[in-house]
């Protein structure tokens, strides 16, 4: 594998993703593009272009790629062979402003109500991580009904998303939802090919700039030397640009971005630790994930907690700090459960099931009610993040679908659409 081949595949996947962006929300293509970047593209660059980062990799390139390349290929194979796209570009005309506003207001009310409710009922926190994303669904609804009130609500929702990123100094949610918003705008306004392909030329420099100052931003805001906010971020960005004298590909922003995108490190830690130090789970951890998704904690006290350190530390031997959250990812999950061959079979099935789930939801709920297209990023968004493990992805889809059914019930029983005159 050469650098030119790595870049050609990157470009082809990006063009495939953007080619579909005005037909539907290409969540499967976005997931594949993300997995390629984080498991192949960035890992190759670390081994071959950025030796200063290679020391963080616990395995040799040929050993790690001996699993990563077949694993990603198996995932891609299952997803692409069993996908069935439904062109919804004409259905955008059937989304009425009234239906979009009605659903948007309801999603926003539910999201805010649960946020407030957690203050008085702490047990609501188990669903708040899912209902929190409903306000971003509301944002996407309002793109189909740009009234003055809805524009103000969109501004407030986006400002809240940006504020959360600036306060915590963690920008992954901000980047992911901005991408989802772009996909929805592309579908809603039927962007031209040029506008869609231009997206990465705008997004990539912003990503690099933030990565170049993120650690410094966290240091200043956490230590209290500066207030968190857009002003501090801008100030640090300007200062960094003035000090940067390295070529672009050797700049701190590019190096930090490549390092941050790398998810191969997690899988390498698993492969080095399993089975030499810890035996394969032989499906026990996988079964525990499925039970945790389906059964409530009352019936399954051992139910996992998303972001818990124990699994990562057990299967990698790497101890995390209290405020650090890492997972082994889907690729690491299948390896530690089923070994090399079993992982390839499992990832192929996982990709196939994911594709069919998106197709089934689209056919059953979006074709008949096009406004439900906003649910695709809400339900399947966690699948796009290559750093999420199997439990996080499946749990978010299962609980998200239950919330979807609940919202559909409310729309019909409590807030029905006015009858046409």
């Amino acid at each position: 594998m050469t650098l030119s081949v790595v870049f050609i595949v990157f470009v082809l996947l990006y063009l495939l993703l953007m080619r579909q962006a005005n037909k539907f929300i290409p969540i499967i293509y976005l997931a594949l593009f993300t997995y390629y970047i984080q498991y192949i593209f960035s890992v190759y660059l670390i081994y071959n272009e950025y030796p200063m980062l290679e020391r963080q990799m616990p395995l040799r390139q040929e050993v790690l790629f001996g699993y990563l390349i077949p694993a990603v290929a198996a995932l891609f194979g299952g997803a692409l062979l069993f996908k069935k796209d439904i062109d919804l570009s004409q259905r955008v005309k059937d989304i009425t402003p009234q239906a979009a506003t009605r659903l948007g207001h309801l999603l926003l009310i539910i999201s805010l109500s649960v946020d407030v409710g957690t203050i008085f009922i702490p047990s609501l926190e188990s669903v708040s991580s899912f209902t929190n994303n409903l306000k971003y669904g509301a944002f996407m609804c309002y793109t189909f009904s740009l009234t003055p009130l809805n524009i103000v609500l969109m501004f407030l929702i986006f400002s809240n998303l940006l504020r959360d990123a600036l306060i915590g100094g963690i920008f992954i949610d901000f980047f992911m939802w901005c991408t989802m918003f772009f996909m929805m705008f592309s579908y809603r306004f039927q962007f031209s090919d040029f506008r869609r392909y231009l997206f990465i030329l705008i997004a990539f420099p912003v990503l690099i700039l933030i990565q170049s100052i993120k650690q410094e931003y966290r240091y200043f805001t956490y230590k209290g030397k500066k207030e968190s906010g857009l002003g501090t971020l801008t100030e640090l960005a300007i200062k960094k640009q003035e000090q940067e004298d390295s070529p672009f590909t050797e700049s701190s922003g590019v190096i930090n971005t490549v390092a941050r995108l790398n998810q191969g490190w997690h899988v390498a830690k698993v492969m080095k630790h399993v089975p030499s130090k810890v035996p394969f789970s032989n499906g026990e951890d996988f079964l525990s994930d499925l039970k945790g998704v389906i059964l409530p904690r009352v019936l399954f006290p051992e139910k996992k907690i998303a972001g818990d350190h124990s699994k990562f530390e057990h299967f990698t031997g790497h101890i995390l700090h209290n405020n650090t959250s890492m997972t082994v990812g889907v690729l690491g999950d299948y390896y530690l459960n089923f070994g090399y061959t079993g992982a390839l079979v499992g990832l192929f099935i996982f990709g196939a099931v994911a594709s069919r789930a998106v197709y089934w939801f689209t056919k059953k709920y979006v074709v008949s009610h096009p406004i439900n297209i906003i649910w695709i990023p809400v339900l399947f968004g966690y699948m796009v993040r290559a750093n999420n493990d199997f439990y996080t992805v499946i749990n978010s889809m299962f609980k998200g679908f239950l919330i979807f059914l609940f919202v559909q019930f409310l729309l019909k029983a409590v807030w029905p659409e006015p009858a046409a005159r």
Side-chain angles (χ1 to χ4, degrees):
M1 186 166 58
T2 64
L3 183 61
S4 59
V5 171
V6 171
F7 269 98
I8 287 172
V9 176
F10 171 87
V11 172
L12 290 177
L13 286 173
Y14 180 72
L15 294 178
L16 178 62
L17 169 65
M18 288 298 142
R19 184 170 175 265
Q20 308 295 337
N22 65 344
K23 298 178 182 178
F24 45 86
I25 305 301
I27 202 78
I28 292 295
Y29 298 97
L30 181 58
L32 298 183
F33 180 67
T34 304
Y35 270 71
Y36 179 78
I37 288 177
Q38 299 200 246
Y39 283 111
I40 304 298
F41 185 80
S42 61
V43 176
Y44 179 88
L45 291 181
I46 285 175
Y47 279 115
N48 297 277
E49 302 297 328
Y50 297 102
M52 72 286 293
L53 299 175
E54 188 176 349
R55 62 180 180 271
Q56 68 179 265
M57 305 300 288
L59 293 178
R60 290 177 288 111
Q61 177 180 208
E62 57 270 23
V63 175
L64 181 56
F65 271 150
Y67 171 66
L68 285 184
I69 292 176
V72 170
L75 180 65
F76 280 33
L80 295 175
L81 284 174
F82 287 88
K83 75 173 181 61
K84 191 172 181 180
D85 300 330
I86 300 177
D87 190 343
L88 300 170
S89 57
Q90 296 304 312
R91 300 309 306 274
V92 67
K93 303 172 185 176
D94 299 330
I95 300 176
T96 65
Q98 295 79 11
T101 297
R102 176 169 152 265
L103 178 57
H105 287 350
L106 182 57
L107 294 179
L108 189 56
I109 290 170
I110 294 173
S111 181
L112 296 178
S113 298
V114 174
D115 286 347
V116 174
T118 54
I119 300 174
F120 307 100
I121 310 175
S123 60
L124 284 177
E125 290 183 0
S126 62
V127 297
S128 64
S129 60
F130 304 97
T131 57
N132 179 63
N133 292 336
L134 295 184
K135 59 177 173 282
Y136 306 130
F139 180 99
M140 291 183 283
C141 282
Y142 296 145
T143 63
F144 298 93
S145 180
L146 295 174
T147 65
L149 173 61
N150 291 349
I151 292 174
V152 171
L153 292 175
M154 291 173 71
F155 174 78
L156 294 176
I157 293 169
F158 187 82
S159 298
N160 181 76
L161 176 64
L162 178 59
R163 186 208 62 174
D164 288 347
L166 292 172
I167 290 177
I170 300 174
F171 295 88
I172 180 62
D173 277 352
F174 178 76
F175 289 138
M176 288 307 304
W177 281 110
C178 283
T179 301
M180 298 299 185
F181 294 161
F182 171 80
M183 294 294 177
M184 190 58 67
F185 273 106
S186 181
Y187 172 74
R188 165 65 177 89
F189 297 105
Q190 294 294 288
F191 284 170
S192 65
D193 292 347
F194 175 76
R195 288 187 179 183
R196 280 179 279 130
Y197 296 146
L198 191 64
F199 174 68
I200 199 169
L201 298 180
I202 298 174
F204 195 58
V206 175
L207 172 65
I208 290 175
L209 181 61
I210 291 179
Q211 290 296 340
S212 69
I213 61 173
K214 186 171 64 175
Q215 294 300 327
E216 190 175 0
Y217 175 82
R218 288 176 180 173
Y219 174 79
F220 280 119
T221 55
Y222 287 5
K223 296 293 184 180
K225 296 182 179 181
K226 293 179 180 291
E227 292 186 2
S228 59
L230 199 57
T232 299
L233 192 72
T234 304
E235 177 186 339
L236 293 174
I238 294 173
K239 184 179 178 181
K240 175 64 70 173
Q241 290 299 103
E242 292 175 348
Q243 296 175 344
E244 192 69 68
D245 56 359
S246 302
F248 176 73
T249 57
E250 299 176 12
S251 65
S252 60
V254 172
I255 294 173
N256 289 337
T257 300
V258 172
R260 181 64 183 87
L261 288 173
N262 170 33
Q263 289 298 317
W265 175 81
H266 300 186
V267 178
K269 294 290 287 185
V270 172
M271 292 176 65
K272 188 172 183 179
H273 204 63
V274 180
S276 61
K277 303 291 179 59
V278 174
F280 288 113
S281 175
N282 294 321
E284 291 184 11
D285 193 78
F286 186 83
L287 182 60
S288 176
D289 285 346
L290 293 177
K291 289 168 64 178
V293 169
I294 299 172
L295 299 178
R297 196 170 298 279
V298 175
L299 300 177
F300 186 41
E302 295 81 17
K303 182 173 180 173
K304 296 180 179 180
I305 300 174
D308 183 38
H309 293 180
S310 58
K311 178 176 179 177
F312 184 87
E313 293 178 350
H314 177 71
F315 287 107
T316 66
H318 184 85
I319 305 301
L320 299 174
H321 299 296
N322 290 332
N323 61 346
T324 303
S325 179
M326 287 187 184
T327 75
V328 296
V330 171
L331 269 63
D333 250 332
Y334 275 94
Y335 178 83
L336 68 87
N337 271 284
F338 306 113
Y340 181 89
T341 304
L344 300 187
V345 175
L347 287 166
F348 181 87
I349 296 173
F350 178 78
V353 170
S355 278
R356 297 309 293 181
V358 174
Y359 169 71
W360 173 80
F361 182 85
T362 303
K363 183 179 180 181
K364 184 172 179 61
Y365 295 106
V366 181
V367 171
S368 56
H369 296 86
I371 187 57
N372 283 335
I373 195 172
I374 66 97
W375 283 97
I376 292 178
V378 176
L379 292 180
F380 302 104
Y382 280 90
M383 183 172 62
V384 171
R385 306 181 188 194
N387 61 311
N388 284 336
D389 57 10
F390 177 80
Y391 177 73
T392 303
V393 174
I394 299 300
N395 193 40
S396 65
M397 290 169 60
F398 180 76
K399 288 188 176 179
F401 184 66
L402 294 181
I403 292 172
F404 165 78
L405 294 178
F406 174 68
V407 171
Q408 296 304 299
F409 166 78
L410 290 180
L411 285 173
K412 293 178 181 178
V414 181
W415 198 350
E417 191 171 2
R421 295 182 179 179

